[in-house]
Amino acid sequence: MVEWSDQERSIINSIFASLDYEDIGPKALSRCLIVYPWTQRYFGGFGNLYNAEAIKTNPMIAAHGIKVLHGLDRAVKNMDNIKATYAELSVMHSEKLHIDPDNFKLLADCLTIVIAAKMGTAFTADIQAAFQKFLSVVVNALGRQYH
Amino acid sequence: MSLNKTDKERVKAFWSKVAGKADAIGAESLARLIVVYPQTKTYFAHWKDVSPNSPNVKKHGKTVMGGVADAVTKIDDLKGGLLSLSELHAFTLRVDPANFKLLTHCILVVLAAQFPADFTPEVHVAMDKFLAAVARALAEKYR
């Protein structure tokens, strides 16, 4: 069981309460596809990913980024039981989407960097630690049901 | 995943924008490393004060970032240019190379937080590749 301090819970809830999903979602996903181009392998049907500019302005990628970011909402609401909460999603990512779980960490790192850019100096070391702890639990849970 | 001409140009251009704050970036990055990845404190057991705001952390962050600044000037031959630093890390410091990735991530977070407009995805990928290349050069003499 993952132990969360009151401060960590407060940090995570605060970040997500003020999150602009329509801004951050597209930025995080497009950054992942640009910084780690091999992740584009999962987006064959998403149209033009030919260069960074195309990725940044691709509406299908933007919509998908928002969808993925909202996927974190259930983890925020169920911080004490993320593993069970994501069991079905993990199965789906394995059996239907066939995503290499290493990719989850790449997207998590990009999301951290996009949030850092948005919050600036307000994104302190303690906040970074709590946010990364949250994302690593999510990443773990999503990879848990692979076999 | 070696650096191409565009990567090098992007790194040099971005570095010229941020070089003035290198000391602060270094201090901030090292402070984040020990807070976000507490296991890295094991390398600093010889310091009485390993808190993120301590003078030791600030001074060492400056040293490390000085190394990164130097690496920018040697971007065309990192292995050759960082040879003595590699020997230092391999034989004296013996920092597990996995930690280079952790520090790289912290440096990128600090750059994003302090230069949000300039740290575009294109600059991000160039800097990530560059720091990974620096890490490889540092690990060159390990075995």
Side-chain angles (χ1 to χ4, degrees), chain A residues 104-125:
Chain A
F104 303 148
K105 188 174 183 311
L106 301 181
L107 180 57
D109 283 350
C110 285
L111 179 58
T112 301
I113 281 172
V114 168
I115 299 270
K118 188 71 181 263
M119 291 177 66
T121 46
F123 193 64
T124 62

Side-chain angles (χ1 to χ4, degrees), chain A residues 31 34-36 38 52 56 109 113 116-117 120 123-126 128-129 132, chain B residues 1 32 35-37 105-106 108-109 112-113 116 119-122 124-125 128:
Chain A
R31 194 170 278 252
I34 293 166
V35 177
Y36 308 109
W38 54 94
K56 280 191 257 187
D109 283 350
I113 281 172
F123 193 64
T124 62
D126 284 337
Q128 182 185 344
Q132 287 194 203
Chain B
M1 301 211 257
R32 276 173 199 268
V35 170
V36 179
Y37 306 104
H105 175 69
C106 289
L108 297 177
V109 168
F119 196 65
T120 61
E122 292 92 324
H124 178 168
V125 59
D128 194 24

Side-chain angles (χ1 to χ4, degrees), chain B residues 95-143:
Chain B
V95 174
D96 189 312
N99 294 288
F100 299 152
K101 268 199 184 161
L102 305 183
L103 181 57
T104 290
H105 175 69
C106 289
I107 291 172
L108 297 177
V109 168
V110 172
L111 293 175
Q114 297 196 4
F115 304 93
D118 295 301
F119 196 65
T120 61
E122 292 92 324
V123 167
H124 178 168
V125 59
M127 284 303 296
D128 194 24
K129 285 176 76 174
F130 168 65
L131 291 172
V134 170
R136 276 196 305 274
L138 282 180
E140 181 64 20
K141 290 298 193 186
Y142 270 61
R143 57 177 175 176

Side-chain angles (χ1 to χ4, degrees), chain B residues 45-60:
Chain B
H46 55 286
W47 289 348
K48 244 188 308 177
D49 186 3
V50 209
S51 65
N53 288 312
S54 69
N56 277 327
V57 170
K58 286 200 171 84
K59 180 161 167 271
H60 197 64

Side-chain angles (χ1 to χ4, degrees), chain A residues 24-41:
Chain A
I24 300 296
K27 281 187 176 147
L29 184 59
S30 58
R31 194 170 278 252
C32 187
L33 296 174
I34 293 166
V35 177
Y36 308 109
W38 54 94
T39 57
Q40 292 169 27
R41 76 189 304 286

